[in-house]
Amino acid sequence: MRPIRMLLASLTVASLAPVVAGSPLGAHAGGHIGTAKSDFTQVTPANAVLYSTVQSTYPDQPANLRALGKVIAPKFNIQALVNQVAGSSSGGTSALSAAIVSQIVSGLGNTFNGELGLAVLPSAVSRSQSGKPTAKLHLLLDAGLQPGVGAQQLAAPLSLLGSRASSSVRYRNLPIITLDLRTLLGSMGGSLHSTTRYSATSPLSGVFYGTVAGNVAVLASDLPTLKQAIDTWFGAAPSIASLYDFQTTISARPAHRLLTTYVHIDTEQIRPFVTTFAGRSAAKGLPRAPGTLSGAFAVTAEPDGILMSASPLVRIGSLATGQGLPATNAGEPSILPANTLVYAALNDPGTLIRRLVETLVPRLQGTSSGHIMDPIQALKLATGLNIDNDVLSWMHGDASLALLPVGSKDFGADSPTTSLSLVATLRVPNQALVEAKLLKINAALQAIPNSGAAALKFVEVPTASGNPLNMLALTPSGVGFTFYHGYLIVGTALPADYAAMQQASAGKRLAASPLYTAALGHFGAHRFGMVFYINVTKLRQTSERIAAAMGTDLRPYRRGAQPLLSAFTSVSAVAYAGPNAGGAVFLGIGR
């Protein structure tokens, strides 16, 4: 088992080391691979449903990745991790294992250039002799090669795998190597321990077929799949790069990438699988007419973190749907304090609520044996309110939800709410109208017999600024609402929340926070349909203080999760406005 572990560790390090170390310019100029050295699309057929690569497409990626690694690496005991993978834990054995790993890495580095690719081709449902349904996986595993490396030079790395290799077949004059990996995979233990695992119903046979096309080593899970890759290499079959969907989605991703993935979904390809393995009732959830959906995803190393982005979707046929999100101005950070822990914003919650009900209720009714009433209609019957007119009609502005590091003792001295508060905001153009609607809603709720809503009584509390706070009588320093700078503000510690917002107006606002502005700066000049932000550092520190105050033993946390969490500064995400517009997530990393 130990040699296998050392080999896997070596393969991982060797395959990624050149990506981190850097790649020379000039191998390719522009296009979908930028400055990468291997174009895996040249061996990827156009019918691939998944295409993914690990390769640097711009010179700044290795440098950025190294800088981020200097922040994260000290948080881990890398030597202990290598020892664990290699199957050793002490002294001379550790040194010997490290030396062996180093030798293997050096050898593999002379063969491979550090770029990897994966493609999945469509599968078909078949049945074994016993009648059991099965789906064979058709995989293409690609690895970029150093200049001058061909099929013969791959013999040494293949021997490291302990596999039985033969090269008696040729296709289009390229030698095909047959690899029996069942012994290797079986030696890894677990459910793969026995070679009998590979039966007629197994997704993989355990026998792979490989060749070298240009500077790419191609390994396929079956011979027909490898021949498709070779046909693509020689131009006898179209490449995935020739597809409009691929070109459109990939070109919409950043030019600076470490990882690139393309996904293509076809209703007619997945329908047999859903019918066979999930049942006909599940297949009814698919559109009856043909349709396709394509999208691309990318991971980019930025100087201050990792950016993960999704392209706009390309929808065709029955899948050409999607309303998207309306644009939000995301103006709430101008009234929220700079130390806001969590912030989320979108536009027009009233329409979203109505759309959600209209979408979910029919689906729930279709899967339930009983009758499911429209919740909006149920609320109307219970309260007498016209939900569309009395509630949703004034909920069409920008809305947000925030977590602030302030609180109220009204919920108990030992409660986390003494240090945390939830604040909801809604942009309202007509304050008098909304005040009247809120009074009507409150009166309707209090009129419901035996509901407990009679306790929902608010008292008006004046403030020095002249802006009254409407406080729930049961929680005089807790739940309440007010109006401020054109927003309806609802908070669980309203007096403290309002005081924090006044400080924001004085200049200490979230909109001016360097961490917040840097995070959103990675998302470009697009209009946002949704914004989400977490100050990971302050949220972690606040949570640690609360846990300590509650008497929690933090020693296991400090030995385990805290070192890792301390490397991350923020998490932010956006969904771009409009139908099928895509989105992005940024993970901030810093000291």
Side-chain angles (χ1 to χ4, degrees), residues 254-302:
H256 307 223
R257 304 187 304 274
L258 281 174
L259 183 144
T260 305
T261 298
Y262 168 79
V263 178
H264 178 78
I265 298 174
D266 188 321
T267 58
E268 301 313 292
Q269 288 179 352
I270 65 175
R271 196 184 307 277
F273 291 91
V274 176
T275 302
T276 302
F277 297 104
R280 295 186 179 275
S281 59
K284 291 181 180 179
L286 294 173
R288 294 184 179 181
T292 63
L293 181 150
S294 303
F297 308 88
V299 175
T300 300
E302 300 283 4

Side-chain angles (χ1 to χ4, degrees), residues 23-24 26-30 32-39 55-58 115:
S23 56
H28 287 277
H32 57 273
I33 67 168
T35 58
K37 294 171 283 188
S38 302
D39 187 353
Q55 57 185 177
S56 171
T57 63
Y58 206 82
E115 300 181 355

Side-chain angles (χ1 to χ4, degrees), residues 383-396 426 428-446 458 481 483 488:
T383 63
L385 294 170
N386 183 319
I387 304 301
D388 284 310
N389 182 60
D390 295 327
V391 181
L392 301 181
S393 64
W394 49 272
M395 298 177 65
H396 296 302
L426 176 68
V428 291
N430 189 332
Q431 177 177 330
L433 173 64
V434 175
E435 283 185 298
K437 295 292 186 181
L438 290 174
L439 290 174
K440 183 177 181 180
I441 294 169
N442 184 257
L445 292 175
Q446 293 191 48
F458 287 86
F481 71 90
F483 293 88
L488 167 65

Side-chain angles (χ1 to χ4, degrees), residues 217-237:
V218 186
L219 193 65
S221 58
D222 55 86
L223 187 56
T225 297
L226 181 62
K227 289 183 176 181
Q228 286 189 63
I230 295 174
D231 287 341
T232 304
W233 166 254
F234 280 99

Side-chain angles (χ1 to χ4, degrees), residues 445-467:
L445 292 175
Q446 293 191 48
I448 302 175
N450 303 319
S451 66
L456 296 178
K457 294 182 179 180
F458 287 86
V459 295
E460 189 173 285
V461 178
T463 65
S465 65
N467 198 56

Side-chain angles (χ1 to χ4, degrees), residues 361 365 371-379 381:
V361 171
Q365 289 175 340
H371 176 69
I372 298 179
M373 179 179 288
D374 184 327
I376 290 181
Q377 184 65 24
L379 286 173
L381 292 175

